[in-house]
Amino acid sequence: MADKLWVFDTTLRDGEQVPGCQLNTREKIVVAQALEALGVDILEAGFPISSPGDFNSVVEISKAVSEPIICALSRAVEKDIQVAADSLRFAKKARIHTGIGVSGYHIQHKLRSTPEAVMERAINAVKFARNLVGEVEFYAEDAGRADPEYLASIIEAVIAAGARVVNIPDTTGYCLPEQYGAIIRFLKENVSNIDQAIIATHCHNDLGLATANTLAGVMNGARQVEVTVNGIGERAGNTSLEEVVMAIKSHSEIPVVTQINTKKIYETSRIISKLMNMPIQPNKAIVGRNAFAHSSGIHQDGVLKNRENYEIIDPKDVGVEESTIVLTARSGRAALKHHLALLGFPVEGAELDEVYERFLVLADSKRDMGRKELLSLIGEHLEDSPFISLEQIHYEGGEGEIASAKVTLAIGGKNLSADAVGNGPVDAVIKSIKQLIDHTVLLDEFLIQAMTKGSDDTCKVHMRLMSEGKPYHGFGSETDIVLASAKAFIDALNKLPVKQKLSNN
Ligand code: KIV
Ligand code: ZN
């Protein structure tokens, strides 16, 4: 039977250290509850000595979630450890994660100490923590660059002192997968009491190898992986939870199983990206916008014949409704036929050939082949102006004030107005627009990008709406973020296939 692999999520500690990603306690609880629903085994909730806010977050997270073990980080310093223990007093299952640098760099240039003194601090820290909580994990910081013999001796000593999990971080993301796997194997073979502890991987992504190194660790005997959702974390990030979990699910030769509910991966990824203001790169494995989007003709034809021709993961397994066939100048007839059929225009044979010729010419000059462009190809267009356009917009809001908006849209030639309040001007505007359409749409992705620099810069807004399980992208660019957002939302609405349904008036 496959071994259990413990999934230790550090999104709220290593992930939250990233500049700009800081969350308040309320937001951290939302993330913690999402991680609990995802099925993580251990949730590293913070570094309590670092600030009163972090301390309080660990306290509140301990109250708000009950399934995962709640873990708090500390240095190998008694005060840190005591504060970590205090912050965990409401946790149903508590763990202290304490440790110290073990590489030559850290011992000499960071701690300005000696291997012997570091060893003593490590042992004392574990013994001190062991008296305060049921479970202690020891981290050997910068283990990836440490002398293996010294690493083995310190790991043996901390296990003897009471550590039940020993974390072997590649703190600087330096190792190659073979090297990292060899470190884990070396510990398995040379630490006499290693059977009394679980070995944990903790890999950083400076060379883009964090997932590969983590898997190499698992293949060599590690049974806990330390990961973050979307791979966020210091510098180039930590090992991404979704990549490791799906690699394990896709390869039965990796002899472990996780209890992650993979169907929640996409939703969790989006919650975290949104709350932490960390956009997900479109080509990010598993959760990127393009992870299940096919744009070249050969691939589209293959996917339409059988999804598995070009997909190793069923998108439903990670909570993505279905793969998307994106129309570009590289698309083939099969994709065009598929999209026209979705619009209610089945086209075949010679007619398809003809439409396809026109499609290629148009697609070469357009980045985005939406509903309007497709309809125009089969002579269904003929309206130059979009079905929905923004006629008037007015919004108000400021610090401590309730934001409000009034929007007038022309929908199919008829002017309609609505107003709404929201938690900010963008929210108020979107809510006003939504009142004017008879279509359930979910704003699923919202990215704002500055074009150049400066406070007078034009910003580009990209939105993705989901409707009936399908994604619709919209863009808007303006110097005013609220206006750009309204235009992006309307642009996406104009791509919904059934325009008759759009107006509820
Ligand atoms: O990368 C690292 O070494 C860490 C430790 C504090 C576990 O994050
Ligand atoms: Zn780290």
Side-chain angles (χ1 to χ4, degrees), residues 7 9 38 40 227-229 239-246 260:
V7 176
D9 182 276
L38 182 65
V40 306
V227 290
T228 61
V229 173
T239 307
S240 119
L241 178 150
E242 59 277 9
E243 291 174 13
V244 171
V245 167
M246 293 314 292
I260 294 296

Side-chain angles (χ1 to χ4, degrees), residues 10 13-14 17 44 73-74 97 106 137 139-143 167-172 202-204 226 234-235 238:
T10 184
R13 199 278 298 169
D14 225 345
Q17 285 174 210
E44 189 162 50
L73 186 81
S74 76
H97 189 193
H106 280 222
E137 170 170 343
Y139 65 85
E141 195 179 4
D142 205 17
N167 176 13
I168 312 301
D170 182 23
T171 304
T172 55
H202 180 112
C203 298
H204 280 265
E226 304 202 353
E234 289 273 343
R235 307 182 307 279
N238 286 59

Side-chain angles (χ1 to χ4, degrees), residues 100-101 103-121 150:
I100 193 162
S103 66
Y105 292 100
H106 280 222
I107 295 172
Q108 285 166 43
H109 305 302
K110 185 178 119 169
L111 301 164
R112 302 212 167 95
S113 184
T114 62
E116 296 73 27
V118 164
M119 169 90 77
E120 201 182 323
R121 270 183 70 182
Y150 177 68

Side-chain angles (χ1 to χ4, degrees), residues 211-260:
T211 296
N213 286 348
T214 297
L215 294 173
V218 172
M219 293 302 274
N220 282 283
R223 288 296 176 263
Q224 175 175 297
V225 286
E226 304 202 353
V227 290
T228 61
V229 173
N230 301 336
I232 62 167
E234 289 273 343
R235 307 182 307 279
N238 286 59
T239 307
S240 119
L241 178 150
E242 59 277 9
E243 291 174 13
V244 171
V245 167
M246 293 314 292
I248 287 167
K249 194 168 169 151
S250 307
H251 282 269
S252 56
E253 67 273 27
I254 308 179
V256 292
V257 284
T258 73
Q259 63 166 40
I260 294 296

